[in-house]
Amino acid sequence: MSIDWGDVSHVTKVDPAENLPEDLSILDGTDLVIVGGSDGVTRENSLNALERIRAHHPDVPLFQEPYSSSHVSEETIDAADYLSVPAVYNGDRENFVAKHVNFFTEVGSKPEEILGSGLPLVGDLIASRGRDAIEAISEKILAEGYVVQNLDSKAAAVSGVESTFTAEQVAGAALATESFYGFPIFYVEYSGTYGGPEDVAAAAKYLDDTVLLYGGGIESREQTEEILDAGADAVVVGDCFHEDPERYRRTLC
Amino acid sequence: MSIDWGDVSHVTKVDPAENLPEDLSILDGTDLVIVGGSDGVTRENSLNALERIRAHHPDVPLFQEPYSSSHVSEETIDAADYLSVPAVYNGDRENFVAKHVNFFTEVGSKPEEILGSGLPLVGDLIASRGRDAIEAISEKILAEGYVVQNLDSKAAAVSGVESTFTAEQVAGAALATESFYGFPIFYVEYSGTYGGPEDVAAAAKYLDDTVLLYGGGIESREQTEEILDAGADAVVVGDCFHEDPERYRRTLC
């Protein structure tokens, strides 16, 4: 599946460790769903969330955003259209480079451990299935250049973020994404607080090929519109999806 | 200029702080020249090396590999076909992410400081020239995913490398390059010592779209062939170009 980002302006982030609403028609009107979180997330609850959302909304693009390889299995990879994987510009070395190299080292050397025990265990089949599995994973991965702008958030804690970026640095990270790293997505994450349009506007002026996402504290249509007007391709709405369905609905344009 | 990597198997790395040979016909037979180094490198000697090599070998692709923005000027960018910029996987955070974000932050916010004082200084011209200059730089930059495998080298010291990678980790970094970071070049750097074909073979199995370069200690045709047979697109020959022209010539196939 390839994503037509021109059709995506509202993204919902679903935490698989939280209870899903009984009635998933609440997701009517969102353009893409990302399943991911940190505390309490497992392969099993990730798969459960992916499968329930897919069953109810078969035509909505569905991403898994894993924070570690312990969230990923062959089944979650099959269930999601893409794995969106954050590389945090203002985090520690671990979160921008080491965990990714480690993940791909494991994928390359021990695909059966990443992908469960479903691999054939004899002769060349291991090698060929291993290589196929690696290609299947590789083709599904979308890297996200992330900037985490709320120091008090869980996202900052798990990514080793000790300082936020100025708007000029956000612009620099956006330009580095577009020109150097080539990640398909640049993501400004205010995680739980509304950061306003300044960073989005700073990033947007350098992004032609890169999709620009903003997440954090969106609770109204006015905020959604302010962020889109500043140049974001889409807003990502998370917390209020689980906490307050009425407020969540008001974020849709 | 776009590079046809199928025609490139021998690359010469020229240190602009060293004296160039009087007779540059010594470069006959190499397929690409990279100008770059650390100690004593300036904008001025970089430009001088680029211009002399270009004058003598107008058809050979010519890269500048800057270690800091103090090696770069509008003139060096004009003189080189590409700027190849290392991102060191096993270095410190500074060398994989921070220096690049800082560079692009400077490019975005103060293009005149990166590009000298040649920018017009009035009204909208600054903004439009700034944006044009940024695009000109961005289009010329080729990111290189680097692994530095010699702890005693200058390259390790300037990149904050404190441990080398196993062959499995080199393979993981190669797969991360191909699947996640999307850098056009993956570079195994043994800097001054011959590392043999093991890392190259480990990396090559995951690289389809990424160019694989090996540098370090190449002093003979046999070593060149061993590295190319292991799957490298090209060997990079540096030290002996300056130190021993006869030995340098023996590295050519």
Side-chain angles (χ1 to χ4, degrees):
Chain A
M1 159 176 237
S2 87
I3 307 295
D4 183 347
W5 287 100
D7 294 338
V8 177
S9 63
H10 186 281
V11 176
T12 303
K13 191 174 280 189
V14 172
D15 186 337
E18 305 256 351
N19 288 322
L20 281 178
E22 288 281 308
D23 180 3
L24 284 174
S25 61
I26 186 176
L27 288 170
D28 291 350
T30 200
D31 305 310
L32 188 151
V33 176
I34 300 175
V35 171
S38 46
D39 286 336
V41 173
T42 64
R43 291 188 173 103
E44 291 72 25
N45 60 25
S46 297
L47 181 62
N48 180 53
L50 290 164
E51 288 184 339
R52 279 196 57 202
I53 294 162
R54 177 71 88 199
H56 207 284
H57 293 278
D59 299 327
V60 174
L62 185 59
F63 288 10
Q64 182 184 13
E65 188 174 84
Y67 279 63
S68 94
S69 59
S70 72
H71 300 179
V72 180
S73 65
E74 191 160 13
E75 288 77 18
T76 69
I77 294 170
D78 282 346
D81 295 310
Y82 287 98
L83 271 65
S84 53
V85 178
V88 182
Y89 280 107
N90 58 335
D92 56 20
R93 180 177 176 280
E94 176 70 15
N95 280 280
F96 197 79
V97 51
K99 75 186 250 187
H100 306 300
V101 172
N102 292 344
F103 175 74
F104 285 102
T105 299
E106 285 183 59
V107 166
S109 58
K110 298 175 284 188
E112 67 281 7
E113 292 184 24
I114 299 293
L115 298 177
S117 53
L119 294 175
L121 288 171
V122 280
D124 289 343
L125 280 175
I126 296 177
S128 69
R129 180 63 188 278
R131 176 70 207 224
D132 288 352
I134 290 164
E135 291 200 349
I137 294 180
S138 295
E139 284 170 12
K140 281 211 167 183
I141 285 182
L142 295 180
E144 298 172 313
Y146 243 70
V147 178
V148 177
Q149 294 288 64
N150 175 2
L151 291 182
D152 296 326
S153 64
K154 182 79 188 176
V158 300
S159 306
V161 173
E162 293 178 352
S163 56
T164 57
F165 273 179
T166 64
E168 277 192 350
Q169 288 173 308
V170 171
L175 185 55
T177 301
E178 176 91 7
S179 306
F180 191 75
Y181 296 102
F183 301 144
I185 296 168
F186 184 73
Y187 195 132
V188 176
E189 174 61 276
Y190 270 86
S191 200
T193 57
Y194 183 63
E198 189 188 5
D199 288 350
V200 169
K205 70 180 172 193
Y206 293 128
L207 301 178
D208 295 322
D209 301 328
T210 311
V211 171
L212 175 56
L213 303 182
Y214 167 90
I218 298 269
E219 300 192 332
S220 68
R221 181 184 299 195
E222 291 69 28
Q223 288 171 328
T224 298
E225 286 172 353
E226 185 173 51
I227 296 296
L228 297 178
D229 287 347
D233 289 280
V235 295
V236 183
V237 180
D239 294 343
C240 67
F241 171 75
H242 294 288
E243 291 164 6
D244 186 339
E246 271 315 304
R247 215 160 5 115
Y248 168 77
R249 278 197 196 91
R250 289 201 296 270
T251 66
L252 290 156
C253 287
Chain B
M1 160 177 235
S2 88
I3 307 294
D4 183 349
W5 288 99
D7 293 339
V8 177
S9 63
H10 187 281
V11 176
T12 303
K13 191 174 281 189
V14 172
D15 186 337
E18 305 256 351
N19 288 323
L20 281 177
E22 288 281 308
D23 181 1
L24 284 175
S25 62
I26 186 176
L27 288 170
D28 291 351
T30 200
D31 305 310
L32 189 151
V33 176
I34 300 176
V35 171
S38 45
D39 286 337
V41 173
T42 64
R43 292 186 173 106
E44 292 70 27
N45 59 25
S46 296
L47 181 62
N48 180 52
L50 289 164
E51 288 184 338
R52 279 196 57 202
I53 294 162
R54 177 70 89 201
H56 207 283
H57 293 277
D59 299 327
V60 174
L62 184 59
F63 289 9
Q64 183 183 12
E65 189 174 82
Y67 279 64
S68 93
S69 60
S70 72
H71 300 178
V72 181
S73 65
E74 191 161 10
E75 288 76 18
T76 70
I77 294 170
D78 283 346
D81 295 309
Y82 287 98
L83 270 64
S84 53
V85 178
V88 182
Y89 280 107
N90 59 334
D92 56 21
R93 179 178 177 280
E94 176 68 17
N95 280 281
F96 196 80
V97 52
K99 75 186 247 186
H100 306 301
V101 172
N102 291 344
F103 175 73
F104 285 102
T105 300
E106 285 183 60
V107 167
S109 59
K110 298 175 283 189
E112 66 281 6
E113 292 184 24
I114 298 293
L115 297 176
S117 54
L119 294 175
L121 288 170
V122 279
D124 290 342
L125 280 174
I126 296 176
S128 69
R129 180 62 186 279
R131 177 69 208 225
D132 288 351
I134 291 164
E135 290 199 349
I137 294 179
S138 295
E139 283 169 14
K140 281 211 165 181
I141 286 183
L142 295 180
E144 298 172 314
Y146 243 70
V147 178
V148 177
Q149 294 287 66
N150 176 2
L151 291 182
D152 296 326
S153 63
K154 182 80 188 173
V158 299
S159 307
V161 173
E162 293 179 352
S163 57
T164 58
F165 273 179
T166 64
E168 278 192 350
Q169 288 174 308
V170 171
L175 186 54
T177 301
E178 176 91 7
S179 306
F180 191 76
Y181 296 102
F183 300 143
I185 296 168
F186 184 73
Y187 195 130
V188 177
E189 174 60 275
Y190 270 86
S191 198
T193 57
Y194 183 63
E198 188 187 6
D199 288 348
V200 169
K205 69 181 173 191
Y206 294 127
L207 301 178
D208 295 323
D209 301 328
T210 312
V211 170
L212 175 56
L213 302 182
Y214 167 91
I218 298 269
E219 300 192 332
S220 68
R221 181 182 301 194
E222 291 68 29
Q223 288 172 328
T224 297
E225 286 173 352
E226 184 172 51
I227 295 296
L228 296 179
D229 287 347
D233 289 281
V235 296
V236 183
V237 179
D239 294 343
C240 67
F241 171 75
H242 294 287
E243 292 164 7
D244 186 341
E246 270 315 303
R247 216 159 5 112
Y248 169 78
R249 280 198 194 89
R250 289 200 297 269
T251 67
L252 289 156
C253 287

